[in-house]
Amino acid sequence: TYTIYSLSYCIVSGTWDNNGALTAGSSNFVFNGASQSIDTNGQPFWSVTFAGTGTKTLGQALDTHGSLTINNGVTLDVGVNRTITCGGSWVNNGTFNANNGLVVFDGTAQSINAAGQAFYDLQLSTSSTTKTLTGAIDINHNLTIDAGVTFDVSAIAYQINIAGNWINNGTFTRRTGTVVFDGTTVISGSTAPSFNNVTISGTALTLPSGLTTDVSGNWNQSAGTLTATGSTLQFSGSSQNIAPGGQSF
């Protein structure tokens, strides 16, 4: 068992290979070498900073109870589709290679600054919590908003691009933001998300059957098909531009 005292730093310049137990306390782990491999053995860190240079590659799942920061000039690679669970803020000033991995945000009040770089699967979890964007976000596969979770694009209204499914069991705070559906998306879940501006530029968008999807801003479909069987699409804004791309509602 390796115990780190709270509020201390653990600086690692080489490989991290955990075959035992780690008690991280509330310490900040800084990986500041060149190219590094990180095998956690399922043991959580508190806060993690990826510094130095080169690529940090995960050999196992990564769990951080605090913030995760990727510094300028650094690449974090999830390896063979490892899962990252983050309990604090996500700050990306470098490069994130999501591959086909899952990122789970399971903290309380969390900010997500993806710097426009893509996640693959993204899950927002833990009831009665809010996840707020501090930068544009791109999701190459599925987005899941768990029950009791609020996903807020912030007052700046950062854009969301999504290429996969939107599973909505929580609350999406749209503000004046834009959601771009640039792949094949099926919207499902217990509640329908309400959008401001919607752009459909991918292959297909399927609205949730039996639910009402509200749009308060503009609707622009430049490609793909829209399936709205059994669903209601409601335009609730005072002045809206609606370009259905030849599709029937």
Side-chain angles (χ1 to χ4, degrees):
T1 300
Y2 183 34
T3 301
I4 308 293
Y5 291 105
S6 295
L7 305 179
S8 62
Y9 281 84
C10 181
I11 298 175
V12 182
S13 59
T15 297
W16 180 272
D17 189 3
N18 182 2
N19 294 307
L22 171 69
T23 303
S26 54
S27 303
N28 186 17
F29 280 74
V30 180
F31 292 91
N32 72 339
S35 293
Q36 297 175 267
S37 62
I38 302 167
D39 290 337
T40 65
N41 194 31
Q43 302 290 312
F45 297 108
W46 187 255
S47 292
V48 177
T49 299
F50 297 99
T53 60
T55 300
K56 324 297 183 181
T57 304
L58 300 184
Q60 295 174 334
L62 173 67
D63 185 1
T64 170
H65 291 172
S67 62
L68 185 151
T69 302
I70 307 169
N71 281 0
N72 183 39
V74 174
T75 298
L76 174 59
D77 191 306
V78 301
V80 187
N81 307 328
R82 308 298 182 184
T83 295
I84 297 176
T85 303
C86 180
S89 299
W90 178 285
V91 182
N92 184 6
N93 295 312
T95 301
F96 177 60
N97 290 342
N99 300 328
N100 292 333
L102 168 67
V103 176
V104 180
F105 288 95
D106 66 346
T108 53
Q110 294 182 266
S111 61
I112 304 171
N113 182 2
Q117 296 190 34
F119 294 100
Y120 185 71
D121 284 324
L122 181 63
Q123 181 178 356
L124 309 179
S125 72
T126 307
S127 182
S128 301
T129 64
T130 299
K131 326 296 183 184
T132 303
L133 294 183
T134 55
I137 193 170
D138 186 9
I139 304 162
N140 282 343
H141 199 227
N142 298 334
L143 167 67
T144 302
I145 307 173
D146 286 349
V149 175
T150 297
F151 183 28
D152 190 346
V153 299
S154 85
I156 298 177
Y158 290 104
Q159 180 170 301
I160 298 172
N161 284 59
I162 180 168
N165 296 327
W166 183 304
I167 301 99
N168 198 85
N169 295 310
T171 300
F172 175 60
T173 304
R174 60 188 171 185
R175 299 187 188 258
T176 57
T178 298
V179 176
V180 178
F181 296 97
D182 56 11
T184 300
T185 299
V186 175
I187 300 176
S188 63
S190 60
T191 60
S194 294
F195 302 109
N196 181 51
N197 296 323
V198 171
T199 297
I200 304 170
S201 60
T203 302
L205 173 63
T206 301
L207 300 181
S209 179
L211 298 174
T212 297
T213 301
D214 184 82
V215 177
S216 60
N218 298 327
W219 178 280
N220 181 22
Q221 182 166 357
S222 60
T225 59
L226 173 69
T227 301
T229 305
S231 66
T232 299
L233 180 59
Q234 173 176 281
F235 294 98
S236 62
S238 58
S239 179
Q240 297 175 265
N241 295 319
I242 302 172
Q247 298 289 302
S248 298
F249 296 127

